[in-house]
Every structure is written in C-alpha cells, then in structure tokens.
Amino acid sequence: MEEMEEELKCPVCGSFYREPIILPCSHNICQACARNILVQTPESESPQSRRASGSGVSDYDYLDLDKMSLYSEADSGYGSYGGFASAPTTPCQKSPNGVRVFPPAMPPPATHLSPALASVPRNSCITCPQCHRSLILDDRGLRGFPKNRVLEGVIDRYQQSKAAALKCQLCEKAPKEATVMCEQCDVFYCDPCRLRCHPPRGPLAKHRLVPPAQGRVSRRLSPRKVSTCTDHELENHSMYCVQCKMPVCYQCLEEGKHSSHEVKALGAMWKLHKSQLSQALNGLSDRAKEAKEFLVQLRNMVQQIQENSVEFEACLVAQCDALIDALNRRKAQLLARVNKEHEHKLKVVRDQISHCTVKLRQTTGLMEYCLEVIKENDPSGFLQISDALIRRVHLTEDQWGKGTLTPRMTTDFDLSLDNSPLLQSIHQLDFVQMKASSPVPATPILQLEDCCTHNNSATLSWKQPPLSTVPAEGYILELDDGNGGQFREVYVGKETMCTVDGLHFNSTYNARIKAFNKMGVSQYSKTLVLQTSEVAWFAFDPGSAHSDIIFSNDNLTVTCSSYDDRVVLGKTGFSKGVHYWELTVDRYDNHPDPAFGVARIDVMKDVMLGKDDKAWAMYVDNNRSWFMHNNSHTNRTEGGITKGATIGVLLDFNRKTLTFFINDEQQGPIAFENVEGLFFPAVSLNRNVQVTLHTGLQVPDFYSSRASIA
C-alpha cells in the first residue's frame, strides 16, 4: 500500500487529492488546485468566440499541442502555456513537488462562498500539470469537470489503513500531529496552523472543531455522494456512451450531444471494463514478478563481482611480487586498471539496480492503485477512469519489454596477466582482453529523452553503447510509411541526431537505427513509436512569399504594400488527413477581392490566387464570391465579407475535397473535388486588406456530423 501513495497525491500541491476532478486528458487535480492554476486568456480565445468562428469541437478547447516525447521517462516535469501568438505570457511559480503551475491572472473576488463554488473568471484557461495540455473553460467553469469519486474512496481507505497519528494537512515541511479537525472545511489542523489559517472570527467562527479521531470517524461515516451528470446536475448517470467513453444521463440521450451516439447499459460496461482491467493487471503482475527475480539476480552479481575482484587482485599481487623490484612500478599501474574495471562493473550494475527499483516501485504502486479501484462499487465513477488506467497498465507492461530484465554487465573480470616474458619485457606487460571483440559495430541506443515530435516532423537522437570498443563509421535511420508499411532510409551519415520533416499529420510512425563500418552493419535498435500532431499549427512563410507582403504578429498577420494582388503561403504543406484553418479580416477598405485557398509550392506570387493551374481558391468581395482555378471562374455565390468576417478553409484528403466557409456558413457547394498531392495554405491580397491566420483548429462540428451521415 505504501508504494501506491504517489498515485493518490495531487501533482500541484503534493498532498492527497481533495475533491479531485477529472480533466479531459484523464489526469486528476484537486478542485482548489485547479482554481489556483487558472489563467485568464484574451477575449479572442474565449469559448464563445471560438464557437462563433466554428473552430471548437467540444466544450473545452485545447490551446497547445502535447510536445512531450511519447515515453514518460522523457517528461521534464515542467508545464508551459503556449496558446495563440496573441496570448500573453504569464510567469510561473513552482509547486511543492516540483511541477510548475500558473498563478491566477487576477486576484479572486471577495466572496462568502467556498473556493470550490466561487465563480471562475471569464475566458479562463487551465494547463494539466502532468501532460501539460492547455484548454479553455466554458461557461460552467470547473463545474463542467466530473468529480473522481473512486479516487476519493481509495484515498479514504488508504488513510484509514494507516495506524499512525493523524497529521496536520497544512504544515509546509514536517507535518505535526493534528489537534483538531474542522467539520465544515474537512481539514486537520495542528495548533499553529489552526491559529494561522482558521482563526475563530468572521464566517469561520461558526465552524465546528472536533478532535481528530472523531473527525476521522465522521469522515468515514459520511455518505458517498451520488453520481450526477456534469451537464444536467439534477440527473443521475444511467447509461454509458460508447463513442465518448463516458457515463451519461437520460437527458443527454434525449436532447444532448449524445442523442445520436451508441450507448450501452451502465452495469454491463462496468463489468466489462473491470474484466479488462483485471486481465491487463495479470500481464503486469507477471512482469513485476520477473522484475523482483531480476533484482535478486543483480544483487547476487554485486556479491560475485566483489568476490572475483578480491580473488583477481590477490593473484595479480602474487605474480607481481614474483618479479621482485622490477615489477613494483608496473604493479601499481595494473592494480589501478583492475580497480577501475571493478568500479565500472559495480557502477553499471548498481545503476541498473537503481533504475529497475524505481520502475518496479512505480509498477507496484500502479498495481495496488488499480486493485483498489477494482474494489470500487460505483460503476459510473469507475468508468470515468477505467480507460485511462487500462492504457497506463498496458504502457507500463510494454516498458518492461524484452531486454529490460537482462544484466548489462558480467561478473567475470575478463583480464589475463602474462608473466612468462623475461625481465627486460616487464615494462611491456599489459592486460590481455580474453573475449574477442566483434568487428561489426554495436547496436546503437535510441536516447528517448531527446526524441520527440512537433507538428509533422520528428526528431530522433541515438548513441553507441558506453562499453562499445568497435567504432562506427556512420548510421542508417529508417522510418516506415506511417501506415505500418515497409521501412525506408531517411538518413545516412555520421551525425547522432536527425530531424525528419514532411511526415503526415495524425499518423503513427515506427523508427529504428543501425550502425555500420567497413566490416559490416550492426543489428537494428529497438523500434521507437512516434505520433505526429493531430492538428497543424503553422504561420505564414516569409521565405516563399512575394516581396510586397508585410508580416506582423509572429507571421500570423499579413497585408501588402502594393495595390496589385500578391500571394503568401503557409509554412506547412498537407498531403493526407483532414485540415481546417481560419482567417479573420482585420481591415477591408474600398471593396477589394482577396482570395483564399491552397496552392502548390511553385505557384505564381505576383497575380491573384487561382490565376494559374497551381492554385485552387475562392475570391470574394463585399457582395459575392467565385471559385477560381487556372483562371476559370465558377459558382458565383451571393454573400461577401466585411471587416471582422471569418473565412474558413477545409481541406479533406479523405474525401478529396476543398470547401470554403464565411462566418461559419458554407459558401456555395463543394468548391473542388479530386484534390490530391501536396498543398500549402495560400492567400492573395493587396494593400486594402489585412488578415490574421488561426491554426490548430479541429474540424467544425457541423462538417463532422455531415460527413458521418454521408
């Protein structure tokens, strides 16, 4: 049970969760801590403005992509707020457990309500302290997040199982023994903390303070809260939405966003997920058992290394003494070599012991936490966290893969001293390596902490094993096609780091590396799985734009110095998936007709977009619009733009179509069909127009629902 404790502590405050809520990324956080790390965002990023522009797909909008490596060991433990380019930077502060969190954007207003019930500032954003994903809250604020009642129950059972005296929950360093508990605040205080944090005046004068033991009993006997729907607070969960993977009430099915989704009985899904989690735990339990046996093997190796070291040293001393004074000077050098080998072997084994011990403790803690969760009898609460736990169990089991439980060092000292030569050869005496080295380079090791993905590019880093004696002349990096197809070479050279650009968005790639020299090629490294971003974040590209284009706002806003139309492209090209971006009209004077769409990289830059066969565009004035490709105008449609209008561009490679929107309404029919190849977002405009680009947007809800019906 002790190893499960880190699963029960909030990543912000470092204490046991109090009223934990579940974020959309499946991580938990105290409700009070969630209020403490809220950041107020600009009005242009509010959920209302995002929904008005058709860019949101849910009540909560992610501001930033997950820039961590896919392996948890690469996590730095620090979060960052990275919204749109216009978002203000907010200084961070460090929480007690080392996680960086965000202070409130403004002091909370004075209120008689508890912190959990006080209103959330408008346009608030919260960043998950564990996976560092940022999202904007809707009008419900923190009330829109479901409460993790299962986690509360596990924490209660864990605290009740500890026989130690109750400790103060507000002491900053070594907690003192609690002397009272406030029934209203549900907090244990020592005398100094009670006087400092809970003075007997004002609204707190009416709170009832009881002895800690009585408070524990009352907390244990307090009734479990009934599971209610976050969207309809008066209704209990009665069904489970298979598509959204969450419990729902009957109103969600009749009039909410789950009305067209597949649903199943709550009890049946509860039993199914319990069974799946139990099966996943069986595999992880076997891995933990193997890890324990492996640790015993490593500890025995330490003893064996010590014994072999003593024996080898004694033999060496005897040989050196037989050669009398002539060997004394050389003896010291040889002893130093032996001690260095001794220390190296011990260091390698001890490092492996330390690494394996930490992994085993984390694995055991996760197992104990999952076992406690399985005991929970609340189907709704269990299903809120079961999917995330099942994924964590499978991921942890994968980390105990082949080779993890293999010793990195042998116990033998593979050295031999040849004392047969004559005295004149004493100074040439040296150790002879008994094991012959392979002429082929050793298999390279991927450095997971330095491997990551960003947008549609991947960066990989590798190195030779520390004890490798055969030099490598170069390396060959291979990636598959993102669809589980054959591997292909993407880099051949001497460098140990490579960034691969031009990958598909929202795709999973497998990467591997091998070394080579004149004698041959090494074995492949372990395969690393990389996931590219689901949506694209990009800006306009000054390098490929016409010289008359004027850039600002970190290359997100453009205008022109000429009265003639000039073309500017986005930095990122697309050839697969579904992509949606928007442009807002910041200035619109004298009724010009800017054009919006996509183009090849070699499109003409000094004419209106769509004049040549390298661009597919919609140009629009204040009254109507036309589609244009290869200087052919089609589909005149009523409805134009003004200052403040929003133009949406949707490039769907799944259906091979290009569609345009003005102020969240589709403009005309599907503009172009049979769209294939590599396309870049493109705009043409003159000095009477200024537009701002908005990227990282999900496909609009109305288009997704229309595509599913089709």
Side-chain angles (χ1 to χ4, degrees):
M1 293 287 285
E2 293 291 337
E3 294 177 339
M4 182 180 62
E5 185 167 317
E6 62 182 5
E7 296 280 345
L8 309 180
K9 290 187 176 180
C10 174
V12 175
C13 64
S15 302
F16 287 109
Y17 286 103
R18 295 182 54 78
E19 297 184 339
I21 58 177
I22 306 175
L23 300 178
C25 56
S26 299
H27 291 123
N28 300 292
I29 188 174
C30 298
Q31 193 173 55
C33 294
R35 292 190 59 82
N36 289 337
I37 65 175
L38 289 178
V39 173
Q40 190 167 7
T41 62
E43 180 68 26
S44 62
E45 297 173 15
S46 66
Q48 293 82 358
S49 63
R50 297 289 297 277
R51 285 193 291 269
S53 62
S55 63
V57 298
S58 64
D59 292 330
Y60 301 94
D61 297 323
Y62 279 109
L63 293 177
D64 201 4
L65 293 176
D66 185 354
K67 297 181 177 61
M68 294 190 302
S69 166
L70 299 180
Y71 288 79
S72 60
E73 289 113 330
D75 183 9
S76 63
Y78 292 88
S80 62
Y81 173 77
F84 296 105
S86 60
T89 56
T90 307
C92 302
Q93 63 185 10
K94 198 172 183 182
S95 67
N97 67 339
V99 177
R100 292 198 179 267
V101 298
F102 296 94
M106 60 180 63
T111 176
H112 294 292
L113 298 175
S114 65
L117 298 176
S119 61
V120 174
R122 188 180 180 188
N123 303 341
S124 293
C125 161
I126 186 171
T127 299
C128 176
Q130 290 182 276
C131 68
H132 317 304
R133 298 193 72 175
S134 301
L135 54 94
I136 299 177
L137 276 62
D138 62 5
D139 294 332
R140 295 173 296 172
L142 297 178
R143 291 183 290 106
F145 297 125
K147 295 184 178 179
N148 195 336
R149 299 182 311 282
V150 172
L151 180 56
E152 286 183 307
V154 173
I155 292 174
D156 286 343
R157 290 197 298 271
Y158 176 81
Q159 291 179 326
Q160 293 166 15
S161 65
K162 300 183 70 173
L166 294 171
K167 300 295 184 179
C168 175
Q169 295 176 293
L170 296 181
C171 290
E172 294 182 356
K173 295 182 178 179
K176 300 179 181 178
E177 186 172 348
T179 56
V180 295
M181 172 193 170
C182 177
E183 288 188 337
Q184 285 70 31
C185 300
D186 195 21
V187 175
F188 291 95
Y189 299 92
C190 63
D191 287 334
C193 291
R194 176 180 58 83
L195 294 175
R196 184 178 72 254
C197 304
H198 199 286
R201 59 180 179 272
L204 300 178
K206 297 181 180 180
H207 288 197
R208 183 186 177 198
L209 302 178
V210 297
Q214 180 181 344
R216 170 183 278 182
V217 173
S218 62
R219 175 187 288 182
R220 188 183 310 171
L221 297 178
S222 60
R224 183 66 56 88
K225 297 179 180 179
V226 179
S227 171
T228 58
C229 179
T230 56
D231 294 326
H232 311 95
E233 298 181 352
L234 300 180
E235 301 297 335
N236 296 336
H237 291 143
S238 57
M239 298 294 289
Y240 181 81
C241 178
V242 178
Q243 181 173 341
C244 299
K245 296 184 178 181
M246 62 181 296
V248 295
C249 68
Y250 82 96
Q251 286 195 16
C252 293
L253 303 180
E254 292 183 355
E255 61 190 33
K257 57 186 178 182
H258 305 277
S259 58
S260 60
H261 294 178
E262 179 185 359
V263 296
K264 291 188 177 181
L266 195 66
M269 293 302 296
W270 170 47
K271 293 179 180 179
L272 176 61
H273 280 226
K274 273 199 172 185
S275 175
Q276 291 176 349
L277 182 56
S278 299
Q279 293 175 3
L281 280 177
N282 289 335
L284 186 60
S285 176
D286 294 338
R287 293 294 184 184
K289 182 179 179 181
E290 293 175 8
K292 291 180 180 178
E293 296 172 353
F294 178 60
L295 282 175
V296 173
Q297 179 185 354
L298 291 177
R299 293 189 177 100
N300 291 336
M301 288 180 63
V302 172
Q303 180 65 26
Q304 192 69 33
I305 291 174
Q306 296 281 14
E307 295 174 358
N308 289 349
S309 173
V310 173
E311 181 180 351
F312 190 87
E313 185 174 336
C315 180
L316 176 63
V317 171
Q319 289 179 334
C320 291
D321 288 342
L323 298 176
I324 316 174
D325 296 333
L327 289 175
N328 287 333
R329 293 185 298 272
R330 192 63 175 169
K331 180 176 67 175
Q333 299 175 8
L334 298 176
L335 284 173
R337 290 278 301 277
V338 173
N339 290 331
K340 183 178 180 181
E341 183 76 2
H342 170 213
E343 293 299 327
H344 173 69
K345 286 180 177 290
L346 289 180
K347 183 179 184 303
V348 171
V349 176
R350 284 169 176 163
D351 287 348
Q352 194 171 9
I353 289 175
S354 175
H355 178 72
C356 187
T357 301
V358 171
K359 258 190 171 180
L360 178 60
R361 184 173 65 251
Q362 295 173 347
T363 300
T364 306
L366 177 60
M367 290 173 54
E368 292 178 351
Y369 173 60
C370 291
L371 290 173
E372 288 297 318
V373 169
I374 290 177
K375 297 176 184 178
E376 185 61 37
N377 294 324
D378 181 359
S380 173
F382 178 86
L383 290 173
Q384 287 178 328
I385 63 174
S386 57
D387 280 301
L389 282 180
I390 293 170
R391 289 195 301 271
R392 286 188 60 191
V393 168
H394 284 304
L395 179 60
T396 304
E397 182 182 1
D398 292 341
Q399 291 176 354
W400 288 106
K402 184 178 179 181
T404 306
L405 303 182
T406 302
R408 301 175 185 169
M409 181 60 63
T410 64
T411 60
D412 297 330
F413 280 73
D414 303 320
L415 304 170
S416 177
L417 182 63
D418 184 4
N419 62 349
S420 61
L422 299 174
L423 291 178
Q424 61 267 28
S425 302
I426 288 177
H427 291 289
Q428 281 73 42
L429 284 177
D430 202 351
F431 290 113
V432 177
Q433 190 74 27
M434 294 173 61
K435 294 183 179 179
S437 300
S438 171
V440 177
T443 303
I445 300 174
L446 285 165
Q447 296 184 279
L448 304 182
E449 64 274 13
D450 295 329
C451 298
C452 63
T453 60
H454 176 69
N455 265 357
N456 62 335
S457 66
T459 299
L460 297 105
S461 176
W462 58 89
K463 64 179 181 180
Q464 282 293 102
L467 300 180
S468 175
T469 58
V470 180
E473 296 181 2
Y475 303 91
I476 301 174
L477 175 63
E478 296 182 357
L479 260 70
D480 67 0
D481 60 357
N483 290 319
Q486 294 184 346
F487 283 85
R488 66 189 191 280
E489 293 182 3
V490 296
Y491 171 77
V492 178
K494 297 182 178 180
E495 299 297 330
T496 58
M497 179 174 286
C498 176
T499 297
V500 183
D501 297 316
L503 303 177
H504 296 305
F505 283 89
N506 195 22
S507 299
T508 301
Y509 287 86
N510 295 304
R512 62 186 184 185
I513 185 75
K514 60 182 179 180
F516 66 89
N517 61 10
K518 294 180 180 178
M519 301 302 296
V521 181
S522 72
Q523 297 293 323
Y524 283 107
S525 67
K526 293 182 179 180
T527 301
L528 176 63
V529 181
L530 300 165
Q531 175 69 43
T532 55
S533 301
E534 182 179 357
V535 294
W537 297 80
F538 60 91
F540 289 116
D541 183 15
S544 62
H546 193 279
S547 58
D548 291 340
I549 296 293
I550 301 173
F551 295 83
S552 60
N553 188 23
D554 293 333
N555 297 335
L556 292 174
T557 301
V558 292
T559 185
C560 183
S561 60
S562 171
Y563 283 104
D564 297 321
D565 290 312
R566 302 297 187 229
V567 172
V568 57
L569 302 180
K571 275 195 171 183
T572 301
F574 304 115
S575 60
K576 178 183 176 183
V578 182
H579 306 279
Y580 178 73
W581 62 93
E582 293 181 347
L583 302 106
T584 55
V585 180
D586 302 326
R587 189 179 73 252
Y588 186 79
D589 303 326
N590 302 323
H591 308 306
D593 46 358
F596 309 89
V598 297
R600 308 289 190 190
I601 189 65
D602 55 347
V603 65
M604 295 175 59
K605 307 296 194 315
D606 55 353
V607 295
M608 177 185 287
L609 194 67
K611 286 283 187 178
D612 62 358
D613 62 349
K614 300 294 194 306
W616 292 255
M618 174 188 74
Y619 72 93
V620 56
D621 58 19
N622 61 320
N623 291 319
R624 60 193 69 83
S625 66
W626 294 263
F627 302 146
M628 186 164 65
H629 169 63
N630 200 16
N631 206 23
S632 173
H633 308 249
T634 60
N635 295 100
R636 169 177 167 174
T637 304
E638 296 299 319
I641 60 173
T642 60
K643 178 180 179 181
T646 299
I647 295 89
V649 183
L650 197 150
L651 180 61
D652 188 344
F653 285 101
N654 296 338
R655 303 171 68 185
K656 300 181 181 180
T657 60
L658 179 64
T659 310
F660 297 97
F661 303 84
I662 296 180
N663 296 329
D664 299 339
E665 295 291 334
Q666 182 171 331
Q667 186 72 358
I670 294 177
F672 301 99
E673 297 182 337
N674 299 321
V675 176
E676 292 180 304
L678 178 63
F679 296 90
F680 291 81
V683 176
S684 68
L685 72 173
N686 63 14
R687 65 183 302 168
N688 292 315
V689 183
Q690 177 176 299
V691 298
T692 296
L693 176 66
H694 302 281
T695 64
L697 307 179
Q698 297 285 351
V699 177
D701 283 338
F702 56 84
Y703 182 82
S704 300
S705 59
R706 185 186 309 160
S708 62
I709 295 174

